Short mmCIF file of all heavy atoms in Angstrom, two decimals:
data_model
loop_
_atom_site.label_atom_id
_atom_site.label_comp_id
_atom_site.label_asym_id
_atom_site.label_seq_id
_atom_site.Cartn_x
_atom_site.Cartn_y
_atom_site.Cartn_z
N PRO A 1 3.64 37.24 -9.61
CA PRO A 1 4.50 37.71 -10.70
C PRO A 1 4.87 36.61 -11.69
O PRO A 1 4.97 36.85 -12.89
CB PRO A 1 5.74 38.24 -9.99
CG PRO A 1 5.75 37.54 -8.67
CD PRO A 1 4.32 37.30 -8.32
N TRP A 2 5.05 35.37 -11.23
CA TRP A 2 5.43 34.28 -12.13
C TRP A 2 4.27 33.90 -13.04
O TRP A 2 4.48 33.48 -14.18
CB TRP A 2 5.91 33.07 -11.34
CG TRP A 2 7.21 33.33 -10.68
CD1 TRP A 2 7.44 33.61 -9.36
CD2 TRP A 2 8.50 33.41 -11.31
NE1 TRP A 2 8.77 33.83 -9.14
CE2 TRP A 2 9.44 33.71 -10.33
CE3 TRP A 2 8.93 33.25 -12.61
CZ2 TRP A 2 10.78 33.86 -10.59
CZ3 TRP A 2 10.27 33.39 -12.89
CH2 TRP A 2 11.17 33.68 -11.89
N MET A 3 3.04 34.04 -12.54
CA MET A 3 1.88 33.74 -13.37
C MET A 3 1.81 34.70 -14.56
O MET A 3 1.56 34.29 -15.69
CB MET A 3 0.60 33.82 -12.55
CG MET A 3 -0.65 33.50 -13.36
SD MET A 3 -2.17 33.75 -12.46
CE MET A 3 -2.23 35.53 -12.38
N TYR A 4 2.06 35.98 -14.30
CA TYR A 4 2.03 36.96 -15.40
C TYR A 4 3.18 36.74 -16.37
O TYR A 4 3.02 36.93 -17.58
CB TYR A 4 2.04 38.38 -14.84
CG TYR A 4 0.72 38.75 -14.24
CD1 TYR A 4 0.55 38.81 -12.86
CD2 TYR A 4 -0.37 39.03 -15.04
CE1 TYR A 4 -0.67 39.13 -12.31
CE2 TYR A 4 -1.60 39.35 -14.50
CZ TYR A 4 -1.74 39.40 -13.13
OH TYR A 4 -2.94 39.72 -12.60
N LEU A 5 4.32 36.32 -15.88
CA LEU A 5 5.45 36.01 -16.76
C LEU A 5 5.10 34.84 -17.68
O LEU A 5 5.33 34.90 -18.89
CB LEU A 5 6.69 35.70 -15.92
CG LEU A 5 7.95 35.40 -16.71
CD1 LEU A 5 8.61 36.70 -17.13
CD2 LEU A 5 8.89 34.57 -15.89
N LEU A 6 4.52 33.78 -17.11
CA LEU A 6 4.15 32.62 -17.92
C LEU A 6 3.01 32.95 -18.88
O LEU A 6 2.98 32.45 -20.01
CB LEU A 6 3.77 31.45 -17.01
CG LEU A 6 4.92 30.83 -16.23
CD1 LEU A 6 4.40 29.78 -15.26
CD2 LEU A 6 5.95 30.25 -17.16
N MET A 7 2.06 33.77 -18.44
CA MET A 7 0.97 34.18 -19.34
C MET A 7 1.51 34.98 -20.51
O MET A 7 1.08 34.79 -21.66
CB MET A 7 -0.07 34.99 -18.57
CG MET A 7 -1.00 34.16 -17.73
SD MET A 7 -2.16 35.12 -16.73
CE MET A 7 -2.82 36.28 -17.87
N GLY A 8 2.41 35.89 -20.25
CA GLY A 8 3.01 36.68 -21.32
C GLY A 8 3.80 35.81 -22.27
O GLY A 8 3.75 36.01 -23.49
N PHE A 9 4.53 34.84 -21.74
CA PHE A 9 5.28 33.92 -22.58
C PHE A 9 4.35 33.11 -23.48
O PHE A 9 4.54 33.02 -24.68
CB PHE A 9 6.14 32.99 -21.72
CG PHE A 9 6.95 32.02 -22.52
CD1 PHE A 9 8.17 32.40 -23.04
CD2 PHE A 9 6.49 30.74 -22.77
CE1 PHE A 9 8.93 31.52 -23.78
CE2 PHE A 9 7.23 29.85 -23.51
CZ PHE A 9 8.46 30.24 -24.02
N GLY A 10 3.31 32.53 -22.89
CA GLY A 10 2.37 31.72 -23.67
C GLY A 10 1.63 32.53 -24.71
O GLY A 10 1.45 32.09 -25.86
N TRP A 11 1.19 33.72 -24.33
CA TRP A 11 0.47 34.60 -25.25
C TRP A 11 1.36 34.97 -26.43
O TRP A 11 0.95 34.85 -27.60
CB TRP A 11 -0.01 35.82 -24.48
CG TRP A 11 -0.35 37.02 -25.29
CD1 TRP A 11 -1.25 37.10 -26.31
CD2 TRP A 11 0.21 38.32 -25.15
NE1 TRP A 11 -1.29 38.38 -26.79
CE2 TRP A 11 -0.41 39.15 -26.10
CE3 TRP A 11 1.16 38.87 -24.29
CZ2 TRP A 11 -0.09 40.49 -26.23
CZ3 TRP A 11 1.46 40.21 -24.42
CH2 TRP A 11 0.84 41.00 -25.37
N ALA A 12 2.57 35.40 -26.17
CA ALA A 12 3.46 35.82 -27.25
C ALA A 12 3.91 34.64 -28.09
O ALA A 12 4.00 34.75 -29.31
CB ALA A 12 4.67 36.56 -26.66
N TYR A 13 4.19 33.51 -27.47
CA TYR A 13 4.62 32.34 -28.23
C TYR A 13 3.52 31.86 -29.17
O TYR A 13 3.78 31.50 -30.32
CB TYR A 13 5.05 31.22 -27.28
CG TYR A 13 5.79 30.10 -27.96
CD1 TYR A 13 7.13 30.24 -28.28
CD2 TYR A 13 5.15 28.92 -28.30
CE1 TYR A 13 7.83 29.22 -28.91
CE2 TYR A 13 5.84 27.91 -28.94
CZ TYR A 13 7.17 28.07 -29.24
OH TYR A 13 7.85 27.07 -29.88
N LEU A 14 2.28 31.88 -28.70
CA LEU A 14 1.15 31.48 -29.53
C LEU A 14 0.99 32.43 -30.72
O LEU A 14 0.84 31.97 -31.87
CB LEU A 14 -0.13 31.45 -28.71
CG LEU A 14 -1.41 31.19 -29.49
CD1 LEU A 14 -1.51 29.72 -29.84
CD2 LEU A 14 -2.60 31.64 -28.70
N THR A 15 1.02 33.72 -30.48
CA THR A 15 0.81 34.67 -31.56
C THR A 15 1.98 34.67 -32.55
O THR A 15 1.77 34.74 -33.76
CB THR A 15 0.58 36.08 -31.03
OG1 THR A 15 1.65 36.46 -30.17
CG2 THR A 15 -0.72 36.18 -30.26
N ILE A 16 3.19 34.57 -32.06
CA ILE A 16 4.35 34.54 -32.97
C ILE A 16 4.34 33.26 -33.79
O ILE A 16 4.60 33.28 -35.00
CB ILE A 16 5.67 34.69 -32.17
CG1 ILE A 16 5.77 36.10 -31.58
CG2 ILE A 16 6.87 34.42 -33.06
CD1 ILE A 16 6.92 36.26 -30.61
N SER A 17 4.00 32.14 -33.16
CA SER A 17 3.94 30.87 -33.90
C SER A 17 2.84 30.91 -34.96
O SER A 17 3.03 30.41 -36.08
CB SER A 17 3.69 29.71 -32.95
OG SER A 17 4.77 29.58 -32.06
N ALA A 18 1.69 31.49 -34.62
CA ALA A 18 0.61 31.59 -35.60
C ALA A 18 0.99 32.52 -36.74
O ALA A 18 0.64 32.27 -37.90
CB ALA A 18 -0.67 32.08 -34.92
N ALA A 19 1.71 33.57 -36.44
CA ALA A 19 2.10 34.52 -37.49
C ALA A 19 3.18 33.94 -38.41
O ALA A 19 3.18 34.23 -39.61
CB ALA A 19 2.62 35.81 -36.84
N ARG A 20 4.06 33.13 -37.88
CA ARG A 20 5.16 32.60 -38.68
C ARG A 20 4.81 31.32 -39.43
O ARG A 20 5.55 30.91 -40.32
CB ARG A 20 6.36 32.31 -37.77
CG ARG A 20 6.99 33.55 -37.20
CD ARG A 20 8.11 33.20 -36.31
NE ARG A 20 9.11 32.44 -37.08
CZ ARG A 20 10.40 32.45 -36.85
NH1 ARG A 20 10.85 33.18 -35.88
NH2 ARG A 20 11.22 31.74 -37.56
N ASN A 21 3.70 30.68 -39.10
CA ASN A 21 3.40 29.35 -39.64
C ASN A 21 2.14 29.35 -40.50
O ASN A 21 1.31 28.47 -40.38
CB ASN A 21 3.28 28.34 -38.50
CG ASN A 21 3.36 26.92 -38.97
OD1 ASN A 21 3.78 26.66 -40.09
ND2 ASN A 21 2.96 26.01 -38.11
N ARG A 22 1.98 30.33 -41.38
CA ARG A 22 0.78 30.41 -42.21
C ARG A 22 0.69 29.22 -43.16
O ARG A 22 -0.39 28.66 -43.35
CB ARG A 22 0.78 31.71 -43.01
CG ARG A 22 -0.51 31.93 -43.77
CD ARG A 22 -0.44 33.14 -44.68
NE ARG A 22 -1.65 33.63 -45.22
CZ ARG A 22 -2.51 32.96 -45.95
NH1 ARG A 22 -2.34 31.70 -46.18
NH2 ARG A 22 -3.59 33.53 -46.45
N GLU A 23 1.80 28.80 -43.74
CA GLU A 23 1.78 27.67 -44.68
C GLU A 23 1.38 26.38 -43.96
O GLU A 23 0.63 25.57 -44.50
CB GLU A 23 3.14 27.50 -45.36
CG GLU A 23 3.54 28.64 -46.27
CD GLU A 23 4.14 29.82 -45.49
OE1 GLU A 23 4.61 29.60 -44.36
OE2 GLU A 23 4.11 30.93 -46.02
N GLY A 24 1.91 26.18 -42.78
CA GLY A 24 1.56 24.98 -42.02
C GLY A 24 0.10 24.95 -41.64
O GLY A 24 -0.55 23.89 -41.68
N ILE A 25 -0.44 26.09 -41.27
CA ILE A 25 -1.87 26.16 -40.93
C ILE A 25 -2.71 25.89 -42.17
O ILE A 25 -3.70 25.15 -42.11
CB ILE A 25 -2.19 27.53 -40.30
CG1 ILE A 25 -1.48 27.67 -38.95
CG2 ILE A 25 -3.69 27.70 -40.12
CD1 ILE A 25 -1.54 29.05 -38.35
N HIS A 26 -2.31 26.46 -43.30
CA HIS A 26 -3.06 26.24 -44.54
C HIS A 26 -3.00 24.76 -44.95
O HIS A 26 -4.03 24.18 -45.34
CB HIS A 26 -2.50 27.12 -45.66
CG HIS A 26 -3.22 26.98 -46.95
ND1 HIS A 26 -4.52 27.40 -47.11
CD2 HIS A 26 -2.84 26.44 -48.14
CE1 HIS A 26 -4.91 27.14 -48.34
NE2 HIS A 26 -3.90 26.55 -48.99
N GLU A 27 -1.84 24.15 -44.83
CA GLU A 27 -1.70 22.73 -45.16
C GLU A 27 -2.55 21.87 -44.24
O GLU A 27 -3.21 20.92 -44.67
CB GLU A 27 -0.24 22.32 -45.06
CG GLU A 27 0.03 20.88 -45.41
CD GLU A 27 1.50 20.53 -45.25
OE1 GLU A 27 2.35 21.40 -45.50
OE2 GLU A 27 1.77 19.38 -44.88
N SER A 28 -2.58 22.20 -42.95
CA SER A 28 -3.38 21.45 -42.00
C SER A 28 -4.87 21.60 -42.30
O SER A 28 -5.64 20.64 -42.18
CB SER A 28 -3.08 21.94 -40.58
OG SER A 28 -3.91 21.29 -39.65
N LEU A 29 -5.28 22.80 -42.71
CA LEU A 29 -6.70 23.00 -43.04
C LEU A 29 -7.10 22.23 -44.29
O LEU A 29 -8.21 21.71 -44.37
CB LEU A 29 -6.98 24.50 -43.22
CG LEU A 29 -7.05 25.32 -41.94
CD1 LEU A 29 -7.15 26.80 -42.27
CD2 LEU A 29 -8.20 24.88 -41.07
N THR A 30 -6.20 22.17 -45.28
CA THR A 30 -6.54 21.43 -46.50
C THR A 30 -6.58 19.92 -46.26
O THR A 30 -7.33 19.21 -46.91
CB THR A 30 -5.54 21.74 -47.64
OG1 THR A 30 -4.22 21.46 -47.19
CG2 THR A 30 -5.65 23.18 -48.08
N GLN A 31 -5.80 19.41 -45.31
CA GLN A 31 -5.81 17.99 -44.99
C GLN A 31 -7.01 17.62 -44.12
O GLN A 31 -7.43 16.48 -44.10
CB GLN A 31 -4.53 17.59 -44.28
CG GLN A 31 -3.31 17.61 -45.15
CD GLN A 31 -2.06 17.30 -44.35
OE1 GLN A 31 -2.10 17.09 -43.15
NE2 GLN A 31 -0.93 17.28 -45.04
N GLY A 32 -7.54 18.59 -43.39
CA GLY A 32 -8.67 18.32 -42.50
C GLY A 32 -9.98 18.23 -43.25
O GLY A 32 -10.05 18.32 -44.48
N SER A 33 -11.06 18.05 -42.49
CA SER A 33 -12.37 17.89 -43.11
C SER A 33 -13.19 19.18 -43.10
O SER A 33 -14.37 19.15 -43.41
CB SER A 33 -13.14 16.77 -42.40
OG SER A 33 -13.34 17.12 -41.05
N LEU A 34 -12.57 20.28 -42.75
CA LEU A 34 -13.26 21.57 -42.76
C LEU A 34 -13.46 22.01 -44.21
O LEU A 34 -12.51 21.97 -45.00
CB LEU A 34 -12.43 22.61 -42.00
CG LEU A 34 -13.08 23.95 -41.73
CD1 LEU A 34 -14.24 23.79 -40.77
CD2 LEU A 34 -12.07 24.91 -41.15
N PRO A 35 -14.68 22.39 -44.59
CA PRO A 35 -14.91 22.80 -45.98
C PRO A 35 -14.03 23.99 -46.37
O PRO A 35 -13.68 24.83 -45.55
CB PRO A 35 -16.39 23.20 -46.00
CG PRO A 35 -16.99 22.53 -44.81
CD PRO A 35 -15.90 22.40 -43.80
N ALA A 36 -13.69 24.05 -47.65
CA ALA A 36 -12.75 25.05 -48.15
C ALA A 36 -13.29 26.47 -48.00
O ALA A 36 -12.52 27.41 -47.81
CB ALA A 36 -12.40 24.77 -49.60
N HIS A 37 -14.63 26.64 -48.07
CA HIS A 37 -15.16 27.99 -47.96
C HIS A 37 -15.06 28.55 -46.54
O HIS A 37 -15.23 29.74 -46.33
CB HIS A 37 -16.61 28.04 -48.47
CG HIS A 37 -17.59 27.33 -47.57
ND1 HIS A 37 -17.74 25.96 -47.59
CD2 HIS A 37 -18.44 27.81 -46.64
CE1 HIS A 37 -18.66 25.61 -46.70
NE2 HIS A 37 -19.10 26.72 -46.11
#
C-alpha cells in the first residue's frame, strides 16, 4: 500500500509541476542546445 501511495504522489506531483511551470520549461529549452523547431 505504501508503494502505491508514493507512486500516486510522484505521478501527481510531476504532472502538476509540469502543468504549472510552462514558462520555466520554455526558458530552460531556450537556454539549452535543443533546436528551436
Side-chain angles (χ1 to χ4, degrees):
W2 291 103
M3 181 186 71
Y4 286 105
L5 182 82
L6 291 175
M7 282 176 48
F9 180 84
W11 160 56
Y13 193 79
L14 174 77
T15 54
I16 292 171
S17 297
R20 292 179 59 149
N21 196 15
R22 187 186 193 303
E23 294 82 21
I25 294 170
H26 181 67
E27 181 182 326
S28 176
L29 285 173
T30 56
Q31 290 176 359
S33 62
L34 189 67
H37 70 280

